[in-house]
Amino acid sequence: MKASYNWLKELLDINHTPEELGEILTNTGLEVEHIETFSSIPGGLKGLVVGEVLSKKKHPNADRLSVAQVNVGGEAPLNIVCGASNLDVGQKVVVATVGTTIHPTNGEPFKINKAKLRGELSEGMICAEDEIGLGTDHEGIMVLDASVPIGTKVSELYNIQEDFVFEIGLTPNRTDAMGHIGIAKDIAAALNAHNKEKLQVKTPEVKVHSSGNEIDFTVHIENTESCPRYAGVVLKNLNIAESPDWLKNKLLAIGIRPINNVVDITNYVLKEFGQALHAFDLEAIPQHEIRVKNMQEGSSFITLDKVERKLSANDLMICNASEAMCMAGVFGGADSGVKPSTKAIFLESAYFDSASIRKTSTHHGLRTDAAQRYEKGADISMVIPALKRAVQLMEELAGAQVASRWIDEYPKKMEKVKITLRLSRLRTLSGHDFSLNQAKAILQDLDFEILESSEEEILLLSPYSRADVTREADVIEEVMRIYGFNHITVPSMVKSTLSFHEGINKHEFKEKIAHVLNGFGFSEIMTNSISQSNYYERKEDLVMLQNSMTSELDCMRPSLVAEALQVIQHNINRKLDLLKFFEFGHTYKADLSQEEFLAIYYSGDVLESNWFNKKEKSSIFHLKGIIDALLKHFKLQKLEIESNEDSLKYSYLKEVLVELRTLKESETEAFDINQDVHMATFHLDKIIELLSNDSIRFELIPKFPKVSRDLAVVLDESIEFEALRAKIHAHSGKLLKEVNLFDVFRSEEKVGTNKKSYALNFQLLDREKTLTDKEIDHTMQKIIRVIENEFNATIRS
């Protein structure tokens, strides 16, 4: 959601900077993700000055270039190379001086530098209108009026509108903030909560000047569940034209392309009141009758984008007496919209059921502004005010005149939700001693209607704009967010009750894992559990969504990989060398079962190249070291390890607990990742179950020293260290505590073909006494026999 700083200041008497206002919005729950600047002319013509051409001569090394001396009011004229055919002495021209960044109408901005062009020094640029964003003409340079003083800033010659635009990460429940008036109400309420002078939102004064009843127009709602309210009016004598600059600039600032005055007004009112409107060419309604109804399954309808669509029986349609004209609240028809020749329209303002709109929008893959507005829940009380506001603007900007009665079909008035707020509950949940007057003032600023109040409770009605506020807890949240969570003090003493939890607390266990991984330099990521089905080949394994928020996000993720790769790609694109991420998340299967996993990702360069080190890329063994350390930390060391060409699996009683692999190229290339990505997947639920069944044992720190012995053994290339380690542990007695591999050596000349040498370290310990040489030698002989007999290996001297 984009919101204009200037627009909000028109609605409120405030002098806050954009940054201050952004902080206020964020504190009220309307998170400002970033603030960007807007200029009605790209770049605001900054750095451009008026110059006079003093002389012009032919470029000695180029037939089509000239070298001009231009006075821009500086100490000396500028030498500028120019290729325009209309350049002449005495002209007043637009000059981009050295260091200026110009913004062409088409193309990327670029900076003007001092340079030699075909051997001649050029100290700037004489500009055409398309080179500075003023138009599309590139036939020649701009020639200004001779009376314009030399050195004048070009920006002073144009009425440039500048603004700041807030990008608000609007949550689905905040439909009241989809218009600037709703946002302004939040700001006013937040400021009023801490200031004596009370702000009021200056809603536009709406006054329709024309009236008429010459056209008898009727509306019939056949499906009142999907359309509880439908209003409209006929307007005649319209002059379809370009919108004035103020309207175009307001729309451009918030990312809407101006079309014509009528369409622009409907978009303007949508962003002002948050109420969607639709204009029908009156010629498309010859019988002057509208029916709001559902069509037969499979009926054809051609939408505004000239696509023929097959309708569902659930699609609510706006029809004339004989045919459909519009998908209600979603998309217009090809033949009923406003055209340059349109002279009269029927202007619609309606309230449509959110579930109905969402079904149609999803079924046809149409994610329009109107659909997103309606499917989140509109404000039924705004239907008439928004309609009258649009008519007022069309009278002013398009010469419209009202030509029918004001139609408002509202068969069954929607009741507001009645809620009781207990002041004691508000104080308990918030931790703040709110007074009755404080709570009432905040709620009234948010359009809650107070029916009764006492020192104990407030009986109130929730506004139509807040369909999500239905419980006492919701009202408490409203009071707290407006008052500001950062204004609620933390008490000096916090009371708590000790509780006992059998087994392993999953939340605490995950926190411990996260803490360990943070210590290893990993960052936690959180990705969307809703994914795109086109990422996966086996569609039959997916849990598909019927009413997704977007047409792309249409299934529950069966794996954590795809979304994580998007994060990795994002960071690679920002030139980060080593990526170490982890995520806790659920995956979902077609049988609606789900499992929680811990996924760990490792990619990039472990070491940068410098005088001391050579660049080293990460490998699966770097990640294995992290996994082994993590398992050791949680006493999960006695796991069976199975390896094959592309993965390692850690199991307990044949149950896989951890899988370690390097992602396939086909997986990473789909996200334009051209480096190895290593991944470990932990079956979190299985690991917690295993640890919960394991009793806690206390063990003293050994009083006696460990003994360390090394051996070098030559064995077949096919023998894996884990198999060797497991067999040695099984047959070498209780004194052996650890077996570690610290070197691998290969040489056909020294150890033989298809052979390798392992350098092994053995840690021996007796907890009851100091080991004797005889005990150490006895244990080492056992180890040597296991190595020689079980693996046909030889001890290397």
Side-chain angles (χ1 to χ4, degrees):
M1 167 71 188
K2 291 182 184 290
S4 159
Y5 172 71
N6 290 344
W7 201 337
L8 291 172
K9 287 191 69 176
E10 289 174 10
L11 295 168
L12 295 165
D13 284 325
I14 53 176
N15 294 310
H16 294 73
T17 65
E19 291 74 20
E20 291 169 341
L21 206 56
E23 186 176 352
I24 292 169
L25 287 169
T26 298
N27 288 340
T28 64
L30 301 176
E31 183 183 358
V32 175
E33 296 175 343
H34 64 266
I35 303 173
E36 58 189 34
T37 57
F38 166 79
S39 177
S40 57
I41 298 174
L45 305 179
K46 292 176 181 175
L48 302 177
V49 295
V50 175
E52 181 179 13
V53 181
L54 302 179
S55 66
K56 168 191 170 184
K57 65 179 182 179
K58 187 176 176 299
H59 193 294
N61 303 315
D63 293 336
R64 296 186 179 182
L65 297 180
S66 302
V67 181
Q69 289 282 307
V70 184
N71 178 13
V72 295
E75 294 181 0
L78 300 179
N79 200 69
I80 299 177
V81 176
C82 179
S85 59
N86 66 330
L87 177 69
D88 209 347
V89 174
Q91 290 175 335
K92 294 289 180 68
V93 293
V94 176
V95 178
T97 54
V98 171
T100 298
T101 298
I102 62 174
H103 298 254
T105 301
N106 298 306
E108 295 296 318
F110 61 93
K111 189 176 180 180
I112 301 299
N113 296 310
K114 184 185 291 188
K116 282 194 174 184
L117 301 178
R118 298 285 184 91
E120 289 292 319
L121 179 66
S122 185
E123 300 174 298
M125 177 177 173
I126 303 174
C127 304
E129 69 172 38
D130 70 323
E131 292 169 332
I132 54 176
L134 286 176
T136 58
D137 185 13
H138 194 69
E139 292 300 314
I141 58 168
M142 289 181 66
V143 180
L144 305 175
D145 189 275
S147 63
V148 181
I150 295 168
T152 301
K153 294 179 180 178
V154 176
S155 60
E156 296 175 2
L157 305 179
Y158 294 87
N159 182 24
I160 300 174
Q161 298 296 315
E162 295 189 336
D163 199 356
F164 296 92
V165 181
F166 302 105
E167 184 67 50
I168 298 175
L170 204 61
T171 52
N173 65 310
R174 294 303 310 277
T175 55
D176 61 305
M178 293 191 75
H180 281 74
I181 291 176
I183 296 171
K185 286 180 179 178
D186 260 21
I187 295 171
L191 293 174
N192 289 343
H194 302 284
N195 297 328
K196 291 182 179 179
E197 294 183 11
K198 298 302 180 183
L199 273 175
Q200 293 290 332
V201 178
K202 297 182 289 184
T203 53
E205 184 180 348
V206 178
K207 188 174 181 181
V208 177
H209 298 285
S210 62
S211 62
N213 200 15
E214 62 191 80
I215 296 177
D216 184 19
F217 203 98
T218 58
V219 170
H220 304 280
I221 305 176
E222 297 184 15
N223 183 346
T224 55
E225 286 189 8
S226 295
C227 179
R229 190 175 191 181
Y230 191 95
V233 68
V234 175
L235 301 175
K236 66 177 184 178
N237 297 333
L238 283 161
N239 177 28
I240 306 297
E242 186 178 352
S243 295
D245 287 344
W246 71 264
L247 178 53
K248 290 192 294 184
N249 288 335
K250 278 195 171 182
L251 294 178
L252 286 168
I254 55 176
I256 298 176
R257 181 176 62 87
I259 298 173
N260 60 52
N261 48 5
V262 171
V263 175
D264 293 349
I265 287 168
T266 61
N267 285 329
Y268 178 82
V269 173
L270 171 64
K271 296 301 181 181
E272 184 176 47
F273 282 82
Q275 171 66 28
L277 305 171
H278 190 79
F280 297 95
D281 191 323
L282 194 62
E283 290 185 355
I285 320 172
Q287 295 87 358
H288 297 165
E289 177 185 1
I290 275 182
R291 291 188 174 273
V292 185
K293 63 180 184 178
N294 297 83
M295 304 287 286
Q296 288 185 348
E297 182 77 32
S299 300
S300 293
F301 179 66
I302 299 176
T303 46
L304 191 60
D305 55 0
K306 307 299 182 185
V307 174
E308 183 177 352
R309 303 178 190 273
K310 296 296 181 182
L311 300 178
S312 160
N314 293 321
D315 295 336
L316 186 68
M317 304 297 293
I318 309 299
C319 308
N320 60 25
S322 57
E323 62 182 0
M325 299 187 298
C326 174
M327 288 181 176
V330 179
F331 207 32
D335 301 321
S336 61
V338 175
K339 299 179 280 292
S341 60
T342 298
K343 295 299 179 185
I345 63 169
F346 176 75
L347 185 60
E348 165 199 281
S349 179
Y351 177 91
F352 299 116
D353 176 64
S354 58
S356 170
I357 298 302
R358 190 179 300 114
K359 287 176 183 177
T360 298
S361 173
T362 304
H363 176 71
H364 296 285
L366 295 169
R367 309 299 297 173
T368 61
D369 278 350
Q372 292 183 51
R373 180 69 188 89
Y374 281 121
E375 69 182 23
K376 292 177 181 178
D379 181 353
I380 201 167
S381 67
M382 281 294 110
V383 168
I384 294 299
L387 178 64
K388 289 186 174 180
R389 172 64 166 158
V391 171
Q392 176 195 31
L393 291 171
M394 289 186 188
E395 284 182 333
E396 295 173 4
L397 305 181
Q401 292 179 299
V402 175
S404 74
R405 68 183 176 92
W406 290 85
I407 298 163
D408 184 13
E409 294 296 322
Y410 194 5
K412 184 180 179 182
K413 184 175 173 61
M414 185 180 290
E415 297 295 329
K416 291 184 176 180
V417 178
K418 188 180 290 186
I419 306 170
T420 299
L421 171 64
R422 294 167 291 169
L423 271 299
S424 60
R425 188 63 175 160
L426 169 61
R427 291 162 186 153
T428 299
L429 287 184
S430 67
H432 183 76
D433 188 19
F434 283 102
S435 69
L436 172 65
N437 289 335
Q438 270 184 310
K440 285 175 63 177
I442 289 173
L443 292 169
Q444 287 171 332
D445 279 342
L446 294 176
D447 290 339
F448 285 84
E449 185 179 342
I450 308 295
L451 298 178
E452 299 173 12
S453 66
S454 67
E455 289 300 325
E456 288 77 35
E457 62 184 33
I458 304 171
L459 181 63
L460 49 84
L461 294 177
S462 179
Y464 289 119
S465 59
R466 295 305 305 273
D468 61 311
V469 179
T470 59
R471 307 168 302 159
E472 182 184 42
D474 299 329
V475 179
I476 292 171
E477 183 184 353
E478 290 301 292
V479 174
M480 290 178 66
R481 74 175 182 84
I482 292 300
Y483 184 78
F485 293 99
N486 53 338
H487 285 101
I488 295 175
T489 56
V490 178
S492 57
M493 182 174 68
V494 178
K495 297 178 181 179
S496 65
T497 303
L498 294 175
S499 60
F500 174 73
H501 182 83
E502 252 186 68
I504 290 180
N505 183 299
K506 189 173 187 179
H507 175 74
E508 291 179 0
F509 181 64
K510 288 161 63 175
E511 285 292 310
K512 289 178 181 177
I513 292 175
H515 184 72
V516 173
L517 289 173
N518 287 151
F520 283 123
F522 284 79
S523 300
E524 184 172 6
I525 61 174
M526 296 177 69
T527 62
N528 198 345
S529 58
I530 304 175
S531 187
Q532 299 183 36
S533 59
N534 60 7
Y535 291 156
Y536 311 102
E537 292 181 5
R538 291 177 55 84
K539 300 295 189 285
E540 63 272 17
D541 294 340
L542 301 179
V543 180
M544 301 301 295
L545 299 179
Q546 292 184 345
N547 295 313
S548 61
M549 295 294 288
T550 69
S551 56
E552 293 84 12
L553 299 175
D554 58 357
C555 72
M556 302 301 292
R557 62 185 177 194
S559 161
L560 301 179
V561 174
E563 279 64 41
L565 287 177
Q566 293 179 55
V567 176
I568 291 170
Q569 177 200 39
H570 178 85
N571 284 272
I572 289 174
N573 290 344
R574 280 147 187 81
K575 309 300 181 185
L576 296 180
D577 295 322
L578 180 59
L579 305 177
K580 298 161 76 174
F581 299 132
F582 70 95
E583 178 180 20
F584 298 100
H586 287 84
T587 62
Y588 306 85
K589 297 180 180 178
D591 61 3
L592 300 185
S593 65
Q594 55 180 288
E595 184 179 354
E596 188 171 12
F597 290 91
L598 163 65
I600 303 176
Y601 306 92
Y602 203 108
S603 181
D605 296 330
V606 179
L607 292 175
E608 293 183 2
S609 179
N610 55 42
W611 68 273
F612 188 72
N613 296 311
K614 292 182 179 178
K615 180 181 283 191
E616 182 181 351
K617 293 189 177 298
S618 61
S619 73
I620 196 169
F621 295 104
H622 288 107
L623 182 55
K624 182 180 181 297
I626 302 292
I627 303 310
D628 288 343
L630 189 60
L631 293 172
K632 183 177 180 180
H633 183 86
F634 291 104
K635 311 300 182 188
L636 286 168
Q637 295 165 269
K638 296 180 180 179
L639 300 180
E640 302 163 8
I641 300 180
E642 176 190 344
S643 65
N644 53 43
E645 290 183 2
D646 56 2
S647 71
L648 284 171
K649 292 180 181 178
Y650 293 73
S651 305
Y652 182 77
L653 299 178
K654 306 300 182 184
E655 186 86 67
V656 176
L657 301 180
V658 184
E659 184 174 358
L660 184 60
R661 68 187 182 98
T662 299
L663 298 186
K664 298 175 183 176
E665 282 189 11
S666 59
E667 293 177 282
T668 55
E669 286 178 353
F671 294 88
D672 295 325
I673 297 173
N674 298 315
Q675 63 188 49
D676 286 342
V677 177
H678 315 290
M679 175 186 180
T681 307
F682 288 68
H683 293 259
L684 211 55
D685 294 325
K686 294 178 183 177
I687 291 173
I688 290 174
E689 183 182 0
L690 174 62
L691 290 174
S692 297
N693 295 331
D694 193 17
S695 59
I696 299 173
R697 290 182 298 276
F698 171 74
E699 209 171 58
L700 286 170
I701 297 173
K703 294 180 180 179
F704 302 99
K706 283 183 179 180
V707 174
S708 178
R709 291 289 186 269
D710 295 338
L711 279 179
V713 300
V714 177
L715 64 174
D716 290 342
E717 183 67 52
S718 60
I719 297 172
E720 296 176 353
F721 169 69
E722 285 302 328
L724 180 67
R725 184 188 65 81
K727 192 68 79 172
I728 291 172
H729 266 298
H731 295 88
S732 300
K734 64 179 183 179
L735 297 182
L736 178 65
K737 301 302 179 185
E738 293 181 38
V739 181
N740 297 309
L741 172 66
F742 64 89
D743 188 37
V744 180
F745 175 71
R746 292 177 176 86
S747 170
E748 287 191 14
E749 181 182 341
K750 294 185 178 180
V751 297
T753 305
N754 295 325
K755 296 285 186 178
K756 60 186 174 184
S757 173
Y758 276 171
L760 303 172
N761 173 262
F762 304 91
Q763 298 286 322
L764 282 64
L765 173 69
D766 188 334
R767 289 183 169 274
E768 304 298 326
K769 57 184 176 59
T770 302
L771 286 170
T772 64
D773 289 341
K774 184 177 179 181
E775 290 170 321
I776 295 168
D777 292 340
H778 180 68
T779 300
M780 291 304 298
Q781 288 302 315
K782 281 186 181 180
I783 292 171
I784 291 170
R785 283 197 297 273
V786 171
I787 293 171
E788 291 176 338
N789 297 336
E790 297 291 337
F791 297 97
N792 196 27
T794 57
I795 305 301
R796 187 171 169 223
S797 56

